């Protein structure tokens, strides 16, 4: 092996070696006409790259991570920390190395043709051999490597292709992204052939003016170009011709285009339908390379979108319009196959994002699978395409390390060379969390020269100052910046660049508090244009609890609605026995590992609503089109009027014909009934026809207006049945198995844990409040119970007054929260019911989970749901299932028996099968046993969720203050 030139280079510890024998990256997509080499390959896993392969083969699936197949090398999660101590550029001696091998039958009719092997992705160093002969080396785990095999394989014969994949290397130090570590060939492998005379590359420029330009690179295998070749093209039937003027200018310039093989095609497309994320209009471009006799030697196909991107002042414009970036960060992820994702997986991801109002993706933190960009072009999503550079743990050393200079330029340039023809890509990103150094500026320099048509961003450079003229960022793209800092900057007069956060609103567990507040500020502050939520996926891997092994592809169908089948769980950091890891920090997405939307998705959908509703001079309504490029004709709507007395009236709605940004007054669709109490008007907006990303009738948004507030209500005491309390002052009621007592704690969310609140609550003893010293007084029909709760920062007094009212009991509660308990999780009461009350119906916000600072997407109405469905299975069990603004609710059995509760005013309520301590004690869902009855929380006040697991906590207005809290509710038997 040591005499093999590829191994002799020791490419796993040579950052200067980014490739060897690899073809230049290009934008000609050969996938559709290639021979797929996907499938099972012979496989063996060696302990180090220098170990010799033996005869002991098993098999492994390509594409796929071996860490999710039948090997002893399992997934490993770290965020910032490298999984081993070696300093860059070194890698550890124990270095799993996969050897993949298979025979490839080269088609006989490829005789005389140029033959190319493409390996879609390999983590992290790829060495290629054919029939034992060295072919090449490639690095960059998220871009393809291509190798010319023309001289190595014989058409009509079979060749043995060997791919040696070294897991850890110098390159790992610049692939230190916050995700699972895997090894393997994670994207497709294929073989294709071309004529010796071929299109080596095409560059499409398609501005909104319709002035199309296609620059081609023509090459002839192994020699000078033959006489007389030319190129032609066609876009949606319109002919493109070789630009003779361009050829002449090149020739006069001493650049003989015939020799260089760099012709230009041009055309003016009139009445061009421009591309935007709202209107993803695509044209089909075909480029043909002809021999002198007119026959076609090569053809390239490309879908083209005509659009402009520019920064004017501090605004990012698409086709001249200031857009909002409603983005999310997306990793290539699947709970069974890791970073290997199929066309269907990606289409489902993007369709889901579109259905929930997202219009942008940052490909955190590497170029995604090539299909992703095709789909973004087609479905309409703006993309920030990010290079595969993150040196987080050693950022400072590497940014200026000349040994890595080549790798920085290589990774940025190859991304651009692959992706630049996609209209969806509006911004390039140099990578993530790698400090800022000369290596970045080198890459930025290449990029600006090569593609002057798009802005470029890099958070590490933006960190110097949002208005800093640093060459490596045209966008002020901070991560997790406090909202007030963004607003202050935008109002300062100092702003020079669009402010679009590359990451904000960290979606770990039950999170994304204050998202609506962010968007209220963004939409009302010139200079703020949006951002990218962190992140799309919860990266849980489906794992067998007993064996500890990942299920890989055999797990298909073994989960539903975010829940893993019995005996299985969603693994996070540490679950594969990793020695150092970062736990559940890997689970911070807006969808669960199987793509089930978390409640925040509905919040986002409403915040992004294309149609808005406002009140107009007390008697009318205003409907507004909040899109940038589209009318409302693709939408249908229905009016709904929800009345507190239980009625919901509906009426068809006619959406006005509005251009983007326009508003129109419309009459009230209903005569408001004189009775019925509080009244809410909702415009339920759906797709009018099939969209490529949503069938007809898909709900898009539900803007809502309060038409009439609730009248003041008080319940008269009656001489009813006596209220019974036991010797401890606890309410005795046939439907309650546990009487209402004070609750000041919730099962800590990830934000509570990582933000330090959970530790404080525990220090105060709020998780183990001890009820004592009870005083019970009777006054007529009423019973007053005074209880004291012992906790570490002082006794807390809680009073309950139980009064018989018509059909039930009114409970009036108050608590005096001493000053020491600033910022508790909740103030309220908790009780438990008998089993069998399995249906919850409520008038309040819903139907999805909502919290005080995440309640913009849950309209007020009459909702109902099985109790078991109310709870969101966040990966690490935590507070979940809350419903905000609940006015009244009923819990009933199938025979309609049960209880109802009417609240004094809208309150936070939750009904689940779990006590807070059940959730707090579990690390995964398989450890939880649902209680047969219901655990019901009624909160006078509930703390906001915030995003403190990474970034700002909730706003002060969502925090709970010490002092007196009062709440009241009426309990009745149905
Ligand atoms: C950012 C980083 C992401 C991820 C996130 C926290 O700092 O860019 O990759 O680690 O924080 O989940
Ligand atoms: Mg990082």
């Amino acid at each position: 092996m040591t005499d093999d030139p590829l191994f002799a280079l020791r490419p796993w510890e040579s950052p200067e070696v980014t490739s060897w024998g690899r073809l230049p990256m290009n934008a000609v997509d050969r996938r559709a006409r290639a021979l797929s080499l996907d499938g099972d390959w012979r496989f063996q896993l060696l302990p180090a790259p220098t170990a010799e392969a033996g005869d002991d083969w098993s098999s492994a699936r390509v594409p796929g991570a071996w860490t999710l197949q039948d090997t002893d090398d399992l997934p490993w999660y770290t965020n910032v920390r490298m999984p081993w101590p070696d300093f860059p550029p070194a890698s550890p001696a124990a270095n799993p190395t996969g050897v993949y091998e298979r025979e490839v039958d080269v088609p006989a009719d490829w005789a005389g043709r140029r033959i190319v092997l493409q390996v879609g992705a390999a983590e992290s160093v790829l060495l290629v051999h054919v029939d034992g002969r060295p072919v090449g080396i490639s690095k960059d785990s998220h871009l393809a490597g291509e190798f010319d095999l023309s001289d190595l394989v014989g058409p009509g014969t079979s060749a043995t292709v060997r791919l040696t994949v070294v897991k850890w290397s110098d390159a790992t130090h610049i692939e230190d992204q916050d995700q699972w570590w895997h090894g393997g060939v994670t994207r497709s492998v294929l073989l294709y052939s071309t004529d010796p005379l071929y299109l080596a590359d095409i560059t499409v420029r398609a501005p909104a003016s319709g002035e199309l330009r296609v620059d081609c690179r023509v090459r002839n295998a192994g020699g000078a170009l033959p006489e007389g070749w030319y190129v032609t093209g066609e876009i949606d039937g319109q002919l493109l011709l070789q630009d003779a003027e361009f050829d002449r200018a090149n020739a006069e310039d001493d650049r003989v285009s015939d020799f260089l093989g760099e012709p230009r095609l041009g055309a003016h497309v009139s009445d061009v339908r421009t591309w935007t994320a709202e209107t993803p209009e695509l044209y089909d471009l075909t480029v043909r390379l002809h021999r002198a006799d007119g026959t076609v030697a090569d053809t390239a196909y490309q879908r083209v979108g005509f659009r402009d991107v520019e920064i004017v002042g501090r605004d990012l414009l698409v086709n001249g319009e200031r857009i909002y970036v409603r983005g999310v960060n997306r990793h290539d992820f699947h709970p069974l196959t890791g970073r290997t994702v199929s066309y269907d997986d990606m289409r489902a991801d993007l369709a889901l994002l579109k259905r929930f109002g997202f219009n942008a993706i940052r490909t955190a933190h590497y170029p995604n699978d090539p299909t992703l960009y095709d789909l973004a072009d087609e479905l309409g999503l703006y993309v920030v395409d990010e290079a595969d550079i993150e040196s987080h743990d050693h950022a400072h050393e590497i940014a200026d390390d000349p040994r890595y200079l080549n790798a920085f330029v290589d990774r940025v340039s190859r991304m651009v060379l692959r992706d630049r023809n996609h209209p969806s890509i509006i911004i390039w990103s140099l990578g993530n969390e790698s400090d800022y150094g000369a290596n970045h500026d080198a890459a930025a320099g290449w990029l600006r020269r090569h593609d002057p048509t798009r802005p470029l961003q890099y958070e590490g450079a933006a960190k110097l100052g949002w208005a800093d003229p640093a060459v490596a960022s045209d966008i002020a793209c901070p991560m997790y910046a406090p909202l007030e800092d963004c607003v202050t900057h935008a109002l300062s007069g100092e702003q020079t660049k669009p402010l679009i956060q590359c990451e904000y609103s960290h979606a770990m567990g039950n999170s994304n508090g204050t998202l609506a507040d962010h968007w209220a500020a963004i939409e009302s502050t010139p200079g703020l244009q949006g951002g990218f939520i962190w992140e799309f996926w919860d990266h849980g891997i489906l794992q067998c609890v007993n064996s500890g092994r990942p299920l890989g592809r055999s797990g298909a169908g073994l989960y539903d609605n975010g829940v893993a089948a019995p005996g299985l769980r969603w693994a996070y950091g540490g679950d594969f026995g990793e020695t150092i890891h970062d736990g559940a920090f890997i689970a911070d997405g807006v969808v669960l590992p199987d793509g089930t939307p978390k409640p925040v998705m509905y919040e986002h959908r409403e915040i992004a609503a294309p149609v808005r509703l406002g009140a107009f001079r007390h008697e009318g309504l205003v409907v507004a089109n909040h899109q940038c490029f589209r009318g409302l004709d693709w939408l249908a709507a229905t009016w709904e009027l929800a009345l507190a007395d239980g009625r919901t009236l509906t009426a068809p709605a006619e959406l006005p014909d509005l251009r983007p940004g326009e508003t129109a007054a419309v009459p009230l669709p209903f005569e408001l009934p004189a009775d019925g109490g509080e009244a809410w008007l909702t415009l339920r907006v759906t797709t009018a026809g099939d969209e490529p990303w949503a069938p007809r009738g898909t709900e898009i948004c539900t803007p809502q207006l309060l038409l009439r507030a609730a009248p003041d209500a008080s319940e008269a005491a009656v001489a009813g049945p006596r209220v019974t309390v036991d010797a401890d002052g606890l309410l005795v009621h046939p439907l309650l198995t546990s009487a209402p007592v004070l609750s000041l704690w919730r099962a800590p969310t990830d934000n509570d844990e990582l933000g330090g609140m959970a530790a404080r609550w525990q220090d105060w003893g709020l998780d183990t409040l001890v009820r004592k010293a009870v005083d019970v007084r009777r006054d007529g029909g009423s019973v007053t119970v005074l209880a004291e709760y012992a906790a570490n920062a002082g006794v807390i007094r809680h009073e309950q007054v139980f009064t018989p009212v018509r059909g039930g009991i009114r409970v009036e509660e108050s608590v005096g929260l001493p000053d020491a308990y600033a910022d508790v999780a909740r103030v309220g009461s908790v009780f438990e019911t008998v089993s069998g009350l399995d249906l919850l119906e409520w008038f309040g916000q819903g139907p999805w989970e909502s919290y005080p600072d995440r309640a913009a997407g849950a309209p007020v109405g009459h909702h109902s749901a099985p109790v078991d469905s109310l709870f969101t299975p966040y990966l690490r069990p935590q507070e979940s299932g809350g419903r905000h603004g609940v006015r009244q609710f009923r819990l009933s059995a199938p025979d309609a028996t049960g209880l109802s509760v009417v609240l004094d005013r809208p309150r936070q309520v939750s009904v689940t099968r779990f006590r807070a301590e059940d959730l707090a004690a579990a690390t995964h869902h398989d450890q939880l046993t649902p209680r047969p009855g219901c655990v019901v929380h009624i909160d006078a006040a509930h703390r906001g969720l915030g995003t403190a697991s990474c970034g700002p906590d909730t706003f002060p207005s969502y925090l709970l203050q010490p002092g007196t809290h009062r709440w009241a509710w009426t309990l009745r038997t149905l």
Side-chain angles (χ1 to χ4, degrees):
M1 186 155 292
T2 42
D3 53 0
D4 181 291
L6 305 190
F7 285 88
L9 280 171
R10 298 182 69 83
W12 51 90
E13 53 189 24
S14 313
E16 304 86 346
V17 180
T18 55
S19 70
W20 188 87
R22 186 176 69 189
L23 295 171
M25 182 59 94
N26 64 81
V28 182
D29 187 353
R30 306 277 180 185
R31 284 173 294 163
R33 290 164 290 160
L35 189 72
S36 169
L37 302 186
D38 290 349
D40 290 333
W41 288 49
R42 286 194 290 283
F43 180 75
Q44 47 186 296
L45 192 62
L46 307 178
T50 45
E52 293 284 345
D55 296 328
D56 192 11
W57 295 99
S58 60
S59 87
R61 173 88 162 237
V62 171
W66 70 61
T67 31
L68 295 170
Q69 301 185 41
D70 203 16
T71 72
D72 294 332
D73 187 32
L74 294 175
W76 186 340
Y77 169 55
T78 64
N79 170 13
V80 177
R81 287 175 292 182
M82 290 291 284
W84 27 264
D86 310 69
F87 228 64
S91 46
N95 190 353
T97 299
V99 182
Y100 294 80
E101 209 176 81
R102 64 165 278 170
E103 268 61 63
V104 176
D105 294 328
V106 184
D109 60 2
W110 284 9
R113 291 174 69 81
R114 178 176 157 266
I115 297 170
V116 177
L117 173 74
Q118 184 188 91
V119 181
E123 309 195 5
S124 67
V125 182
L126 169 71
L127 292 77
V128 180
H129 292 81
V130 169
D131 291 333
R133 282 182 291 171
V135 174
I137 295 171
S138 183
K139 289 187 196 171
D140 187 342
S141 297
H142 305 285
L143 282 177
E146 288 196 340
F147 305 92
D148 191 333
L149 303 189
S150 312
D151 295 337
L152 295 170
V153 298
T157 68
S158 174
T160 303
V161 175
R162 177 183 280 205
L163 308 178
T164 305
V165 181
V166 185
K167 181 172 178 183
W168 306 124
S169 69
D170 54 85
T172 311
H173 291 285
I174 54 171
E175 295 179 2
D176 182 21
Q177 291 99 354
D178 178 4
Q179 58 175 342
W180 293 101
W181 296 103
H182 288 294
V185 176
T186 50
R187 290 187 193 146
S188 289
V189 179
L190 48 92
L191 197 68
Y192 67 83
S193 73
T194 70
D195 192 87
L197 181 65
Y198 66 101
L199 285 164
D201 207 355
I202 56 168
T203 306
V204 179
R205 292 275 158 85
S209 64
E211 216 57 56
L212 178 68
R213 199 178 98 182
V214 184
D215 288 321
C216 308
R217 178 167 295 217
V218 176
R219 291 290 181 269
N220 192 33
L225 291 166
E227 282 297 304
W229 63 268
Y230 62 98
V231 288
T232 59
E234 205 182 281
I235 185 152
D236 273 16
Q238 182 180 341
L239 223 59
L240 273 68
L241 289 176
Q242 191 162 333
D243 181 341
E245 189 49 45
F246 178 74
D247 292 347
R248 204 164 26 249
N250 273 347
E252 279 163 14
D253 218 18
D254 274 349
R255 303 181 67 201
V256 184
S257 71
D258 258 13
F259 170 73
L260 287 172
E262 294 183 5
R264 173 172 293 178
L265 294 165
H268 175 77
V269 176
S270 45
D271 298 325
V272 68
R273 300 178 317 265
T274 49
W275 188 97
T276 70
E278 290 173 19
T279 57
E281 296 282 357
L282 292 174
Y283 288 70
D284 284 317
L285 171 73
T286 306
V287 176
R288 294 196 179 86
L289 169 61
H290 303 261
R291 304 181 188 89
D293 64 2
T295 53
V296 175
D298 198 7
T299 312
Y301 301 96
Q302 177 72 48
R303 284 189 306 180
V304 172
F306 289 86
R307 58 117 190 81
D308 297 330
V309 185
E310 59 190 324
I311 293 174
V312 175
R314 55 180 182 171
D315 293 329
L316 175 74
L317 308 182
V318 171
N319 298 345
E321 292 294 325
R322 182 175 183 271
I323 57 161
Y324 287 116
V325 175
R326 304 180 185 279
V328 73
N329 282 276
R330 179 187 173 282
H331 275 281
D332 279 340
F333 172 79
H334 190 279
L336 303 180
T337 55
R339 282 189 269 284
T340 302
V341 284
S342 69
Y343 173 89
D344 290 343
D345 296 337
M346 284 179 274
R347 198 170 213 292
D349 290 8
L350 268 50
L352 190 76
L353 286 173
K354 291 281 289 187
R355 288 205 291 275
F356 285 87
F358 289 89
N359 72 355
I361 288 174
R362 172 173 174 241
T363 67
H365 298 298
Y366 43 81
N368 284 182
D369 188 288
T371 301
L372 194 276
Y373 305 81
D374 298 337
L375 286 164
D377 292 345
E378 180 186 319
L379 300 176
L381 283 148
Y382 301 118
V383 174
V384 172
D385 200 10
E386 184 152 288
D388 185 11
I389 302 173
E390 176 164 346
S391 57
H392 207 155
D393 204 8
H394 295 285
H396 183 65
E397 302 95 283
I398 290 179
D400 281 301
D401 185 338
R403 292 172 298 179
Y404 278 93
L405 169 62
N406 192 14
F408 276 57
V409 178
D410 190 63
R411 286 164 185 250
V412 170
S413 63
R414 288 192 349 113
M415 166 181 77
V416 175
L417 289 165
R418 185 191 73 166
D419 293 340
R420 63 178 174 234
N421 294 338
H422 289 282
S424 54
I425 299 172
I426 59 165
I427 298 171
W428 301 111
S429 162
L430 298 181
N432 188 56
E433 299 188 316
S434 303
D435 208 322
Y436 177 36
N439 293 346
H440 291 101
D441 283 348
W446 182 93
L447 204 156
R448 292 201 185 281
R449 171 75 179 224
H450 185 86
D451 181 18
T453 71
R454 291 177 178 93
L456 120 80
Q457 74 174 50
Y458 174 54
E459 185 265 342
K463 223 191 250 164
L464 293 181
W466 296 346
D468 191 278
V471 297
S473 200
D474 299 324
I475 314 268
C477 52
M479 44 173 78
Y480 312 107
L483 180 60
E484 64 267 27
D485 292 4
C486 299
V487 173
T488 304
H489 179 65
L491 299 179
S492 68
E494 311 279 302
Q495 190 181 5
T496 55
K497 306 174 180 184
L499 179 39
I500 302 168
Q501 293 215 52
C502 71
E503 295 177 27
Y504 81 109
S505 198
H506 195 247
M508 183 176 186
N510 191 356
S511 184
N512 305 100
T514 73
L515 192 60
D517 306 80
H518 274 74
W519 275 93
I522 291 166
E523 292 190 351
S524 60
T525 313
L528 304 187
Q529 275 190 272
F532 296 83
I533 290 177
W534 186 265
E535 66 174 311
F536 183 53
W537 285 106
D538 266 357
H539 300 224
I541 291 178
L542 193 66
Q543 181 189 37
C544 171
V545 178
N546 281 338
S547 71
R549 297 199 60 84
L551 268 86
R553 287 178 188 274
S554 65
L558 297 180
Y559 45 81
D560 184 32
N561 251 323
V563 179
L568 308 181
R569 67 177 179 186
W570 301 120
Y572 53 76
D575 291 340
F576 293 108
E578 301 107 293
T579 43
I580 54 168
H581 64 83
D582 290 290
F585 207 63
I586 190 74
D588 51 7
V590 291
V591 300
L592 295 166
D594 64 348
T596 300
K598 286 175 25 177
V600 59
M601 290 287 272
Y602 296 93
E603 181 82 351
H604 186 272
R605 188 176 81 174
E606 202 56 40
I607 290 169
V611 184
R612 311 279 170 98
L613 203 55
F616 183 60
R617 290 200 203 134
H618 303 299
E619 70 272 11
L621 303 168
V622 175
V623 172
N625 177 357
H626 246 257
Q627 300 164 103
C628 290
F629 303 100
R630 230 180 161 185
L632 299 184
D633 47 333
W634 64 286
L635 298 167
T638 317
W639 292 111
E640 250 178 46
L641 183 67
L643 296 162
D645 66 3
R647 282 179 289 168
T648 303
L649 314 179
T650 60
E654 191 71 45
L655 288 174
D657 181 14
L658 293 177
R659 281 186 309 221
E662 285 184 345
T663 56
V666 299
L668 262 185
F670 295 99
E671 187 80 47
L672 191 59
D675 57 350
E678 189 180 355
W680 285 86
L681 180 69
T682 308
L683 185 63
R684 208 166 274 282
V685 180
T686 58
T687 49
D690 289 343
E691 292 288 319
W693 41 271
R696 172 166 183 253
T698 302
E699 194 161 278
I700 296 298
C701 59
T702 52
Q704 188 170 57
L705 270 185
L706 176 65
L707 289 191
R708 182 171 57 210
D712 278 341
S714 54
E715 296 257 10
V718 293
R722 269 174 70 91
V723 173
T724 317
V725 297
D726 69 10
D728 292 324
L730 294 168
L731 179 70
V732 176
H733 188 282
L735 291 176
L736 304 192
T737 56
S738 175
V741 292
L742 179 67
S743 171
L744 300 174
W745 188 65
R746 67 186 179 200
T749 63
D750 292 310
N751 290 328
D752 297 339
E753 286 286 354
L754 295 169
M757 289 77 86
R760 221 161 45 227
W761 298 335
Q762 204 176 13
D763 286 349
W764 291 339
L766 300 186
D767 53 334
T768 50
L769 274 189
V770 182
R771 188 172 179 276
K772 56 163 202 173
V774 177
D775 178 30
V776 180
R777 272 177 261 153
R778 279 197 176 273
D779 173 14
S782 291
V783 183
T784 300
V785 179
L786 263 168
E788 285 188 356
Y789 287 79
N792 300 334
V795 168
I796 300 158
R797 291 188 180 77
H798 175 221
E799 185 189 83
Q800 290 174 313
V801 182
F802 301 104
T803 307
V805 291
R806 191 172 40 81
I809 302 164
R810 176 148 177 94
V811 187
E812 292 167 285
E813 308 196 53
S814 71
V815 66
L817 199 59
D819 285 349
Y821 299 99
D823 189 10
V824 298
R826 60 164 30 120
V827 173
S829 24
V830 59
F831 60 84
E832 290 174 28
T833 73
V834 295
S835 62
L837 309 184
D838 295 337
L839 179 70
L840 179 74
E841 295 162 279
W842 73 101
F843 180 54
Q845 294 191 245
W848 10 87
E849 181 189 281
S850 51
Y851 284 83
D853 61 351
R854 204 190 65 214
V860 178
H862 296 283
H863 305 288
S864 82
V867 170
D868 288 323
S869 75
L870 294 166
F871 186 77
T872 309
Y874 296 111
L875 256 58
R876 197 188 59 78
Q878 56 195 275
E879 162 64 31
S880 159
R883 297 297 185 279
H884 191 60
V886 175
R887 281 88 168 145
Q888 55 192 55
F889 66 89
R890 296 152 67 100
L891 265 172
S892 61
D895 65 1
T897 60
L899 59 84
S900 77
V901 169
V902 175
L903 298 142
D904 56 343
R905 59 190 183 84
R907 302 281 185 186
Q908 182 80 16
V909 166
S910 86
V911 179
T912 69
R913 301 290 187 198
F914 308 105
R915 293 180 184 163
E917 69 254 32
D918 300 342
L919 297 169
T923 61
H924 295 74
H925 281 272
D926 61 291
Q927 299 162 350
L928 287 172
T929 311
R931 292 178 183 271
C934 299
V935 179
V936 181
H937 278 275
I938 296 173
D939 292 334
H942 194 102
R943 188 190 195 279
L945 299 167
T947 62
S949 55
C950 182
D953 194 1
T954 194
F955 296 156
S957 55
Y958 300 111
L959 297 178
L960 271 55
Q961 303 302 331
T964 305
H965 293 260
R966 294 177 203 286
W967 66 108
W969 44 290
T970 304
L971 173 67
R972 292 191 172 88
T973 305
L974 295 178

